Amino acid sequence: RGRWKEEEFFADRRRTSDDVVLARMTTMTTVRCRGFTSARSWIYRRRWLQIRSHHGEGGEKKPSARVSADIVAIALPTTLSLAIEPVAALISTAFVGHLGVSELAGVGVALTLYNSFTKLFNMPLLAIITTHMATVSATSAPTGDGLRTVLRSSATLTAVVALAQTLILAILLETGAGLRAYGLAADSAAYGSARAYLAVRVVGNALGVGFFAALGVFRGLQDTVSPLAATIVFTSSSIVLEYVMLFRLSMGAAGAALAVVAAQCLGLALQLVLLGRRHEVELGKVFAETLDGGEDIGGGQGGRELREKLSMCGMLMFRTSLVMLVYSSATSLIARSGVPALSAAHQIAFQLWLASSLLADSLAVAAQSLMAKSQDGAARRQIGSLCLRYAILLGCVLTAVLHVGMPRILAGFTSSPDVLEALSTITNYVVLSQIVSSVAFVLDGIVYSFGAPGFRHATLSMFYSAAASVSTMWAASRWLPMDPLTASWIGLVVLMVCRACSMFHFFATRM
């Protein structure tokens, strides 16, 4: 009879969740040893011990190999994608440099203007679509109504962003205000090349916006392999087409821009094909419903989704502009010194600092997509904590690598004694800031995973951090005995410390 009762209660346990077992064992102060209660208590007691051994005290899941594998599966392809694009940009610069000095200068100014402006829109668009797609994909099938609703609103948001970008860029191009703002006058020898390059990029601007939007969809679905394939196709085709248009067809700066636009078209087409095949998304139905649902923009679920995303996009645009303000303030403060060696040293250190942040950005993407998809608080805490541990480890590794290899790295950038002397005053800031910078970048992804509350907090955090950073830069350069280069890098370190502290507080209080 005792064995029969035991088997019956084991069968009952197989129909009971771990949470129920933990709840019952929490209220069970003693385990009796007689009769019916003894059998049930002993069975739950044994199962409770098994749960504790696998998940830890209180039922919280320990960092597991599966979660680590998920993080690596997302972060590694993202790192490769982010690393490929700068290589393609260097090759493109080398191609244009063979056309002449004025062509290289014009394309450089036009490209800086275009990238700076579109970043204000594209980065918020990417973050919003990633979080919403990850949240909805956790509860909806690829062909479900919830996912199609998010895709429709995302497509509409992409169209609005593309239209706004194109119109503003066209105005800046037609009036010449954008190129003049970057110091390129109409009578300059490089003005014609800059205007020709920018005109072609403006015409194909919608393709670039669509490329970013599709990237956000894939990241939200925890698929970074497909965007990697699209990035490889985009960069390789861009290099081949640019070589043909510059050296075979002699199309000049306009040909360089046309090669990029055509490559973006190929990359976007591949992304849409992979989205339909690998994730069974009915793109035809989504686009048809988007076109037919124009009357729903003012009201209904689609309208609410669009208005919510536009509001969040505005917040993140403001946040991105604050980041650019801090970076430009540092550059401006150093340039006002009138010492070319300080400006050159800052550019080398800044590019080195940005390059080392690629790995942290990859961890941020993994944290954002995995945490946004998870509906369980313990699992979200586990993913966030594990990503932060990896960020600290990554920061320590980068610190060690830069500390040991900094002399050789700097020698590869310049041989000027004045520039190397200026770099020696800020290398400690670059090296020692790796840990806090890695943590801050990963916390960006963690905070973004909370959706609208996270976006609001990230914007407020950046506002206060930027104010503290810029104030520190100008106060240190004016009232302390230090050069503008050192003052600027102290301000950049303050920016990262304030960001990390503020967003970690948000994560800790939410979890």
Side-chain angles (χ1 to χ4, degrees):
R1 183 179 179 181
R3 173 179 288 183
W4 177 82
K5 285 182 177 293
E6 181 178 343
E7 291 176 353
E8 179 185 10
F9 292 125
F10 269 119
D12 175 68
R13 170 61 201 95
R14 284 193 292 268
R15 294 189 297 268
T16 308
S17 65
D18 289 353
D19 294 336
V20 174
V21 175
L22 292 170
R24 292 179 182 178
M25 289 308 301
T26 301
T27 59
M28 189 181 299
T29 57
T30 61
V31 179
R32 302 180 184 177
C33 299
R34 291 194 186 91
F36 184 86
T37 306
S38 173
R40 179 179 292 273
S41 301
W42 178 78
I43 294 167
Y44 278 115
R45 174 69 178 176
R46 194 174 78 168
R47 182 55 184 160
W48 181 58
L49 292 174
Q50 292 174 354
I51 295 172
R52 286 183 58 187
S53 66
H54 287 286
H55 300 290
E57 187 72 34
E60 294 184 6
K61 296 182 179 179
K62 294 181 179 179
S64 64
R66 181 181 59 82
V67 178
S68 299
D70 290 340
I71 294 174
V72 172
I74 294 175
L76 184 58
T78 304
T79 303
L80 295 176
S81 297
L82 294 174
I84 289 173
E85 295 179 6
V87 174
L90 289 175
I91 296 175
S92 175
T93 302
F95 283 168
V96 177
H98 283 81
L99 299 179
V101 177
S102 60
E103 285 79 4
L104 179 59
V107 171
V109 172
L111 191 57
T112 302
L113 169 62
Y114 182 82
N115 289 339
S116 300
F117 181 78
T118 55
K119 183 179 179 181
L120 284 174
F121 293 85
N122 292 343
M123 300 311 293
L125 178 69
L126 176 62
I128 291 169
I129 293 179
T130 298
T131 297
H132 277 245
M133 283 298 303
T135 303
V136 175
S137 66
T139 57
S140 177
T143 56
D145 293 336
L147 194 59
R148 282 210 306 271
T149 300
V150 174
L151 286 172
R152 287 200 306 270
S153 62
S154 299
T156 306
L157 177 65
T158 303
V160 171
V161 169
L163 180 61
Q165 273 191 26
T166 304
L167 288 177
I168 297 175
L169 283 172
I171 293 173
L172 293 176
L173 174 65
E174 186 64 25
T175 60
L179 296 177
R180 286 198 303 269
Y182 279 82
L184 199 60
D187 57 353
S188 172
Y191 185 82
S193 298
R195 184 179 177 85
Y197 183 91
L198 191 59
V200 177
R201 293 301 301 269
V202 170
V203 173
N205 178 66
L207 295 172
V209 180
F211 193 90
F212 269 89
L215 177 60
V217 172
F218 278 112
R219 287 183 176 181
L221 295 173
Q222 291 79 54
D223 178 9
T224 54
V225 176
S226 297
L228 174 60
T231 302
I232 293 174
V233 170
F234 162 67
T235 52
S236 58
S237 59
S238 175
I239 293 172
V240 173
L241 290 174
E242 194 163 358
Y243 175 82
V244 172
M245 293 183 180
L246 291 182
F247 302 114
R248 299 300 179 185
L249 301 179
S250 301
M251 297 181 64
L258 184 59
V260 176
V261 172
Q264 284 179 337
C265 183
L266 293 176
L268 178 58
L270 179 60
Q271 282 186 318
L272 295 178
V273 171
L274 293 176
L275 184 61
R277 290 184 178 180
R278 293 186 177 180
H279 299 280
E280 300 178 355
V281 177
E282 300 176 354
L283 292 175
K285 182 180 294 187
V286 171
F287 289 140
E289 292 175 351
T290 302
L291 294 175
D292 295 339
E295 68 280 359
D296 191 50
I297 293 180
Q301 184 177 359
R304 288 192 297 271
E305 287 272 354
L306 179 60
R307 289 193 296 271
E308 180 184 359
K309 289 182 178 180
L310 285 174
S311 175
M312 290 185 291
C313 189
M315 285 190 296
L316 293 183
M317 284 176 60
F318 178 63
R319 181 182 185 275
T320 305
S321 65
L322 290 172
V323 177
M324 297 175 66
L325 173 65
V326 174
Y327 294 163
S328 61
S329 296
T331 303
S332 174
L333 180 63
I334 296 170
R336 288 173 183 267
S337 66
V339 182
L342 295 183
S343 297
H346 174 67
Q347 290 301 319
I348 293 173
F350 189 69
Q351 293 303 320
L352 185 62
W353 182 62
L354 288 181
S356 64
S357 69
L358 290 179
L359 295 174
D361 280 338
S362 303
L363 283 176
V365 172
Q368 180 184 1
S369 58
L370 290 174
M371 289 184 65
K373 184 176 181 179
S374 177
Q375 302 297 312
D376 179 65
R380 291 167 67 89
R381 180 169 58 250
Q382 176 193 14
I383 296 169
S385 300
L386 190 57
C387 286
L388 285 177
R389 294 176 193 175
Y390 286 155
I392 295 174
L393 178 61
L394 174 63
C396 293
V397 172
L398 291 174
T399 299
V401 171
L402 291 178
H403 177 70
V404 174
M406 184 63 78
R408 294 183 179 180
I409 294 174
L410 296 182
F413 281 96
T414 181
S415 59
S416 171
D418 294 336
V419 177
L420 291 174
E421 182 180 359
L423 282 168
S424 66
T425 63
I426 60 172
T427 50
N428 288 334
Y429 298 104
V430 178
V431 172
L432 297 178
S433 65
Q434 292 302 312
I435 297 177
V436 67
S437 298
S438 298
V439 171
F441 284 123
V442 172
L443 282 168
D444 281 344
I446 291 175
V447 172
Y448 281 175
S449 69
F450 288 89
F455 294 143
R456 284 193 294 268
H457 181 83
T459 303
L460 288 175
S461 171
M462 183 56 68
F463 176 77
Y464 294 122
S465 300
S469 175
V470 174
S471 301
T472 301
M473 290 180 192
W474 290 95
S477 63
R478 184 169 183 177
W479 291 311
L480 295 180
M482 62 178 59
D483 58 86
L485 180 62
T486 304
S488 297
W489 274 92
I490 291 177
L492 292 177
V493 173
V494 169
L495 172 71
M496 289 300 167
V497 171
C498 292
R499 283 174 60 184
C501 292
S502 174
M503 289 187 292
F504 181 77
H505 178 265
F506 177 87
F507 172 62
T509 53
R510 289 278 172 164
M511 292 288 100

